[in-house]
């Protein structure tokens, strides 16, 4: 039988050997998603609390309109590119057997994204076994798997973003431009990566003294940068013009303009949650009875200042993958709408940043950060449960204070990430992969 210590060592050895095998890791990742898909179908059929995300029903309803030659925007609350509805047309095929095909597609996207993470880690010079362990942060993450199998399309976007980073690292600049244009068309926020990529493509040599601005500008404008900029803009505008030609102004309104004025307050972890709730309540009142100005509309100022200007210029030439993580983390943290699906936007970069980060170098810091992030989120969810399921008004102080705590935890974590990159802690494993 052996002693408890020997059994524990044997168990740890077995886990380590499994995590060191690509076949075992990817089999486990696929199995996890299949189990969740099957369980989700069972829960949807037998429980009042549905496993499938409400957004998936929005997607599939829009796909049904498209399959009949109509506009996806005839489905209320569809706020996405028609491309998504086109992709999900198979969910409308007769018999009902294909309804879950969209979830399967999103789950497969998770797996492909994990494969790209593994490829990037290995390109940084990391051994396969070690790279697999960090790739598991994405591949075997239950939050990632559950969000995709519930029917959120974020996995599809994440694989585009990871493919974008892979193309940049592999110096496939035209492909990178196409992927950026496609990603921004699919969902707006990846536009923030354009600044970092353009800045990272700059030669690593510093600007010589007494160099004129004109000369510096001439060296900055290179063929590589022009290629990346033109291909990304061409792809973005070509897709938009095509969709506008087919669907007209509703495409512009629901895909882009809506996100500027949206007042979503449900399932929103942002500190702006309560203010958005009050604003949405006032918007239902007769004209002139509500506040004259909505301060939540200023949320984009610190958000865009950090994510599109300060962080890229300060960090991108040090470490591009970690900079993209910092940008996305800042964008989500300071966004006026922050839901669980948005966490995938930055979790996709986490395995690329972690190996030489403070969270690994100092386990106490890593554990504290994880506990702070999970606990503050759990506190918010508890308050949200009381509000939505028990009918108790927890907006103030419970929901508001918990959102402030979650925001504070995220800002603290962001500070650690920025400090890591600025001090070069993640440069050791990046030296072979830095964009030259």
């Amino acid at each position: 039988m052996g002693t408890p210590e020997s059994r524990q060592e044997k168990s740890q050895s077995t886990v380590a050997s499994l995590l060191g095998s690509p076949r075992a890791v990817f089999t486990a990742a696929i199995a996890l998603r299949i189990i969740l898909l099957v369980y989700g179908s069972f829960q949807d059929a037998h429980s009042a609390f549905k496993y499938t995300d409400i957004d998936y029903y929005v997607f599939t309803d829009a796909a049904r309109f498209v399959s009949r030659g109509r506009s996806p925007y005839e489905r209320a609350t569809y706020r996405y590119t028609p491309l998504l509805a086109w992709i999900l047309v198979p969910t409308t095929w007769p018999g009902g057997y294909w309804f879950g095909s969209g979830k399967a597609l999103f789950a497969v996207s998770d797996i492909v994204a994990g494969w790209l993470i593994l490829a990037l880690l290995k390109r940084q010079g990391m051994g396969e076994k070690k790279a697999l362990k960090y790739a598991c942060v994405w591949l075997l993450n239950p939050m990632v798997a559950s969000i995709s199998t519930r029917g959120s399309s974020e996995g599809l976007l994440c694989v585009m973003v990871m493919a974008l980073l892979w193309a940049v690292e592999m110096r496939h600049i035209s492909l990178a431009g196409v992927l950026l244009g496609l990603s921004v068309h699919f969902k707006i926020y990846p536009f923030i990566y354009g600044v970092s990529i353009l800045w990272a493509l700059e030669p690593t040599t510093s600007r010589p003294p007494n160099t004129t601005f004109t000369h510096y500008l001439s060296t900055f404008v290179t063929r590589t940068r022009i290629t990346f900029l033109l291909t990304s803009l061409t792809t973005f505008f070509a897709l938009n013009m095509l969709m506008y030609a087919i669907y007209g102004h509703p495409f512009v309104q629901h895909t882009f303009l809506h996100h500027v004025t949206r007042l979503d307050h449900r399932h929103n972890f942002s500190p702006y949650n309560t203010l958005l709730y009050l604003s949405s309540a006032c918007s239902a009142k007769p004209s002139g009875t509500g506040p004259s100005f909505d301060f939540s509309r200023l949320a984009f100022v610190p958000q865009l200042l950090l994510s599109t200007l300060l962080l890229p210029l300060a960090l991108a030439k040090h470490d591009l993958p970690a900079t993209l993580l910092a940008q996305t983390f800042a964008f989500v943290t300071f966004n006026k709408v922050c839901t669980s699906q948005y966490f995938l936007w930055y979790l996709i970069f986490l395995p690329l940043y972690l190996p030489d980060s403070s969270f690994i170098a100092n386990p106490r810091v890593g554990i504290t950060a994880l506990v702070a992030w999970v606990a503050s989120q759990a506190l918010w969810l508890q308050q949200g449960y009381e509000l939505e399921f028990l009918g108790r008004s927890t907006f103030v102080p419970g929901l508001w204070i918990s959102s402030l705590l979650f925001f504070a935890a995220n800002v603290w974590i962001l500070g650690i990430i920025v400090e890591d990159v600025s001090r070069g802690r993640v440069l050791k494993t990046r030296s072979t992969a830095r964009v030259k």
Side-chain angles (χ1 to χ4, degrees):
M1 294 294 291
T3 64
E5 291 79 7
S6 63
R7 290 196 298 270
Q8 183 178 3
E9 290 177 1
K10 185 177 180 180
S11 175
Q12 291 175 347
S13 177
T14 302
V15 172
S17 62
L18 289 175
L19 293 180
S21 166
R23 178 178 295 181
V25 168
F26 281 93
T27 299
I30 294 170
L32 171 62
R33 286 156 177 80
I34 291 175
I35 291 171
L36 289 175
L37 286 170
V38 173
Y39 169 76
S41 298
F42 177 83
Q43 181 174 325
D44 286 344
H46 298 88
S47 174
F49 298 99
K50 304 303 180 183
Y51 181 82
T52 300
D53 194 294
I54 185 64
D55 285 345
Y56 190 71
Y57 294 107
V58 175
F59 301 158
T60 53
D61 286 348
R64 187 170 295 104
F65 281 115
V66 166
S67 68
R68 297 171 181 171
R70 297 163 65 181
S71 170
Y73 302 107
E74 291 186 44
R75 203 305 182 182
T77 72
Y78 185 77
R79 316 293 188 187
Y80 311 88
T81 170
L83 277 180
L84 180 58
W86 293 2
I87 291 171
L88 296 180
V89 164
T91 63
T92 68
W93 290 350
Y97 302 108
W98 291 89
F99 179 75
S101 62
K103 298 180 190 178
L105 174 63
F106 302 151
V108 169
S109 299
D110 282 351
I111 302 299
V112 177
W115 180 83
L116 289 169
I117 290 171
L118 178 62
L120 285 167
L121 287 169
K122 291 168 66 176
R123 188 176 184 274
Q124 293 166 3
M126 188 179 294
E128 185 173 70
K129 289 186 177 181
K130 185 177 180 181
L132 276 168
K133 291 178 182 178
Y134 284 105
C136 286
V137 173
W138 173 266
L139 286 168
L140 301 182
N141 190 320
M143 173 180 283
V144 173
S146 64
I147 287 177
S148 291
T149 55
R150 290 185 66 222
S152 171
S153 64
E154 307 305 332
L156 197 58
L157 180 64
C158 285
V159 77
M160 295 181 195
V161 169
M162 195 48 53
L164 164 64
L165 178 58
W166 175 87
V168 173
E169 296 280 353
M170 297 297 292
R171 301 292 293 176
H172 300 315
I173 303 302
S174 296
L175 175 61
V178 171
L179 288 168
L180 179 62
L182 175 62
S183 300
V184 178
H185 170 79
F186 199 85
K187 190 157 286 189
I188 303 172
Y189 85 90
F191 83 91
I192 64 178
Y193 303 145
V195 179
S196 287
I197 294 172
L198 284 172
W199 192 241
L201 290 172
E202 182 180 4
T204 55
T205 54
S206 59
R207 176 180 175 180
N210 302 322
T211 302
T212 63
F213 176 76
T214 303
H215 179 266
Y216 181 73
L217 184 63
S218 67
T219 60
F220 182 84
V221 180
T222 63
R223 181 177 180 180
T224 301
R225 285 198 182 88
I226 292 173
T227 299
F228 177 74
L229 189 61
L230 288 181
T231 51
S232 59
L233 290 176
T234 300
T235 302
F236 176 71
F237 284 112
L239 287 170
N240 288 341
M241 287 189 291
L242 173 63
M243 297 305 169
Y244 183 80
I246 299 174
Y247 299 110
H249 181 71
F251 158 69
V252 179
Q253 175 61 40
H254 294 289
T255 305
F256 298 110
L257 299 182
H258 163 76
H259 298 283
V260 178
T261 58
R262 62 188 298 191
L263 297 176
D264 301 33
H265 58 86
R266 291 184 180 273
H267 317 293
N268 183 4
F269 292 91
S270 168
Y272 295 97
N273 176 44
T274 303
L275 184 58
L276 291 176
Y277 172 78
L278 295 174
S279 298
S280 64
C282 291
S283 65
K285 296 180 179 180
S287 178
T289 60
S292 58
F293 183 75
D294 178 10
F295 285 96
S296 66
R297 295 183 180 180
L298 297 177
F300 71 91
V301 176
Q303 178 192 35
L304 296 185
L305 186 63
L306 273 174
S307 61
T308 64
L309 183 62
L310 298 180
L311 292 178
L313 296 182
L315 306 178
K317 288 192 289 183
H318 292 292
D319 184 283
L320 182 59
T323 301
L324 300 187
L325 167 64
Q327 284 182 273
T328 314
F329 205 97
F331 188 90
V332 173
T333 298
F334 286 86
N335 197 28
K336 67 179 180 180
V337 177
C338 176
T339 64
S340 298
Q341 290 91 331
Y342 294 2
F343 301 157
L344 266 64
W345 297 358
Y346 55 75
L347 285 177
I348 188 69
F349 297 110
L350 195 59
L352 302 174
Y353 156 76
L354 278 178
D356 291 292
S357 68
S358 294
F359 300 119
I360 300 299
N362 188 343
R364 182 177 297 178
V365 173
I367 294 173
T368 302
L370 180 61
V371 170
W373 189 78
V374 172
S376 57
Q377 187 179 160
L379 179 61
W380 190 98
L381 290 171
Q382 185 269 331
Q383 294 294 311
Y385 173 79
E386 290 196 14
L387 173 67
E388 294 195 20
F389 291 94
L390 303 182
R392 299 171 184 169
S393 180
T394 59
F395 283 105
V396 179
L399 207 62
W400 182 62
I401 291 178
S402 60
S403 66
L404 290 179
L405 290 174
F406 185 64
F407 176 77
N410 278 274
V411 170
W412 176 63
I413 294 171
L414 176 62
I416 295 174
I417 296 171
V418 172
E419 184 180 9
D420 275 355
V421 183
S422 61
R423 288 185 177 180
R425 286 181 179 170
V426 290
L427 288 178
K428 290 190 294 182
T429 58
R430 305 277 197 259
S431 57
T432 60
R434 182 186 297 168
V435 179
K436 297 180 181 179

